[in-house]
Amino acid sequence: MNVPTWVWALTMLAIAGLLAFDFFFHVRKAHVPKLREAAVWSALYVGIAVLFGVGMLMFAGSDVGSEYFAGYVTEKALSVDNLFVFLVIIASFRVPREDQQKVLLFGIVFALIARTGFIFLGAALINAFAWIFYLFGLILLLTAGSILKPDDDDSRKADNFVIRTAKKLIRTTEHYDGDKLFTKVDGKRAMTPMLLVMVALGGTDILFALDSIPAIFGLTQHVYIVFTATAFSLLGLRQLYFLIDGLLDRLVYLSYGLAAILGFIGVKLILHALHENNVPFINDGEPVRVAEISTTLSLVVIIGVLLITVIASLLSKRGKAEMAIANARRHATAYLDSEYTHDPEERERIFKKLLGERDQIMALGPKYQQQVRGEPALTDLLDRAASSHDEAVDRGEAEQFTRKGLTS
């Protein structure tokens, strides 16, 4: 598949234009996106990706179109998994709700740049060394196994080595100054947590690239398809974050689905490597006659696994409980954090969410109610959030009474 230089240039210009539009019309002015805004723009970006895929089917053929859609669906699923870690990092750094969009957009831009570099590196390795497919397949099989284990990798936590080093080398503040990266404290220039959280997201994006790039090269070796499928999967990720915010913890079986998909692609890569084999100690350097997995079958398997895991997660009582408990903890923490948001409507929305999650836990029965009672830190957090809200309501009523007294 030979793609003219002007097509590459036009594609990159279009992607850069979409990112610039996103920044100037949505992110530049700090605000909390409403559900409708997130839904509309998420649907728009998915629509653009699908239209691009239809164009690939029409102008490049069914094989190329199938490879694009298989790559796009896989990368999109992996990007949703990335949101879990983004959520942990953003919560750890207590990023104000109004400024989370800017942080996420930076993470997406950094991810796109990092993955583009990995894509061209991967393509160069494939052209130079046929055995690289064995390595890619092994990486995916190991990744599939690691997904099923608790993630103890320090580099994916908010307090990783890069962050600790940055804090030692550069004067940092404990509090945000709007969305500024640097501020002045006692007349001296200091770095705000806003820059640190961007560094944390950038560091995790590099690790995500190590997982996702071998996966998509297992579905197609066309660099243009790899690049566009990866880019379109990242575009709209910011809006998706706010759209499914609060539902991420509900997808309790997503990790099993992703492990199955990565394992499947890993096997596909190793079969392809055997089919193209030139490694001397394997079959005397001759190709091995093995069945290869078609792109169409890969697409069916990927979509089927994702549908099964998502539906199973949504129907799972355990998923409902974990979502309600995790969100209750997160919303109570956010409500008690005076720096999290200065928007009264957003604070009230958070508390209403907290009440809804309490009702969900109560409706799930004694087993999950006992689970909450068994976490004294959580129950204390919920009690303090309720007391804080009562005090805020009392203050609001007192202020309203005073204003009426002054105007009467």
Side-chain angles (χ1 to χ4, degrees):
M1 180 181 175
N2 294 318
V3 179
T5 304
W6 68 268
V7 174
W8 270 102
L10 193 62
T11 303
M12 290 187 173
L13 188 63
I15 291 169
L18 287 170
L19 290 170
F21 176 84
D22 213 10
F23 176 77
F24 286 106
F25 289 93
H26 293 103
V27 176
R28 194 175 186 183
K29 183 180 179 181
H31 71 286
V32 180
K34 303 297 183 185
L35 182 63
R36 183 177 182 276
E37 176 187 339
V40 168
W41 287 103
S42 292
L44 179 64
Y45 278 111
V46 171
I48 291 172
V50 171
L51 284 175
F52 184 85
V54 171
M56 296 282 276
L57 285 168
M58 292 174 60
F59 295 106
S62 59
D63 289 342
V64 171
S66 298
E67 288 180 7
Y68 166 79
F69 278 113
Y72 173 73
V73 172
T74 300
E75 292 296 303
K76 200 68 176 178
L78 289 170
S79 70
V80 172
D81 188 50
N82 296 359
L83 291 180
F84 283 96
V85 182
F86 284 2
L87 182 65
V88 171
I89 292 174
I90 287 172
S92 299
F93 279 97
R94 299 167 51 244
V95 180
R97 184 71 167 173
E98 291 87 347
D99 298 318
Q100 288 179 6
Q101 293 195 94
K102 187 173 184 178
V103 169
L104 287 166
L105 186 61
F106 169 84
I108 291 167
V109 171
F110 189 92
L112 187 55
I113 294 171
R115 294 185 192 197
T116 299
F118 278 110
I119 286 168
F120 286 105
L121 175 62
L125 290 173
I126 287 171
N127 290 330
F129 309 105
W131 54 263
I132 204 71
F133 286 111
Y134 287 114
L135 179 61
F136 281 0
L138 182 61
I139 288 172
L140 292 184
L141 291 174
L142 292 174
T143 302
S146 67
I147 285 177
L148 300 178
K149 298 177 183 177
D151 190 8
D152 295 325
D153 189 353
D154 181 60
S155 58
R156 291 200 178 192
K157 296 176 183 177
D159 188 28
N160 60 36
F161 173 76
V162 175
I163 299 301
R164 292 195 297 269
T165 304
K167 285 182 177 180
K168 289 178 181 178
L169 296 177
I170 307 172
R171 179 183 171 88
T172 59
T173 66
E174 295 295 327
H175 303 284
Y176 290 88
D177 185 6
D179 60 357
K180 294 179 181 178
L181 303 182
F182 292 91
T183 188
K184 284 192 175 182
V185 179
D186 299 329
K188 295 182 179 180
R189 188 175 175 82
M191 179 173 61
T192 70
M194 183 64 70
L195 184 56
L196 284 177
V197 70
M198 289 182 175
V199 172
L201 289 177
T204 57
D205 283 331
I206 293 175
L207 291 172
F208 290 142
L210 295 176
D211 295 343
S212 66
I213 297 306
I216 194 167
F217 270 116
L219 299 168
T220 178
Q221 284 81 59
H222 297 304
V223 178
Y224 184 74
I225 298 176
V226 173
F227 172 76
T228 51
T230 301
F232 283 120
S233 72
L234 291 172
L235 290 173
L237 191 60
R238 175 186 65 80
Q239 293 87 347
L240 185 65
Y241 176 89
F242 289 97
L243 180 62
I244 64 176
D245 180 26
L247 291 177
L248 287 172
D249 293 288
R250 180 76 175 268
L251 303 176
V252 290
Y253 299 122
L254 180 63
S255 60
Y256 297 100
L258 291 176
I261 290 171
L262 292 179
F264 171 79
I265 298 174
V267 171
K268 183 178 187 295
L269 271 169
I270 291 174
L271 290 175
H272 179 73
L274 289 169
H275 191 266
E276 303 289 333
N277 179 62
N278 61 5
V279 178
F281 57 83
I282 298 178
N283 198 35
D284 295 325
E286 295 295 322
V288 181
R289 291 186 178 182
V290 293
E292 287 206 80
I293 302 171
S294 68
T295 304
T296 302
L297 178 60
S298 299
L299 183 58
V300 171
V301 170
I302 291 165
I303 293 176
V305 169
L306 285 175
L307 283 175
I308 291 170
T309 53
V310 169
I311 291 172
S313 296
L314 294 177
L315 295 178
S316 166
K317 201 169 184 180
R318 173 195 157 201
K320 292 178 183 178
E322 290 198 9
M323 179 192 72
I325 292 170
N327 287 339
R329 182 183 290 106
R330 184 161 56 90
H331 286 132
T333 303
Y335 188 81
L336 291 168
D337 187 351
S338 60
E339 290 188 0
Y340 183 72
T341 179
H342 298 291
D343 185 349
E345 289 186 8
E346 176 64 12
R347 286 184 60 78
E348 190 61 25
R349 184 193 72 84
I350 292 171
F351 190 75
K352 286 181 179 178
K353 284 273 189 182
L354 186 57
L355 292 179
E357 285 138 13
R358 180 203 63 186
D359 293 340
Q360 285 181 38
I361 295 170
M362 295 296 291
L364 287 169
K367 176 183 175 182
Y368 296 103
Q369 293 173 25
Q370 187 60 39
Q371 182 176 337
V372 175
R373 294 191 190 100
E375 298 185 39
L378 175 58
T379 54
D380 177 65
L381 190 65
L382 298 177
D383 290 341
R384 286 192 290 121
S387 299
S388 177
H389 183 265
D390 291 341
E391 290 173 6
V393 170
D394 291 341
R395 284 197 305 271
E397 290 177 351
E399 289 173 5
Q400 188 177 20
F401 179 78
T402 304
R403 283 196 298 270
K404 285 182 178 180
L406 289 172
T407 56
S408 58

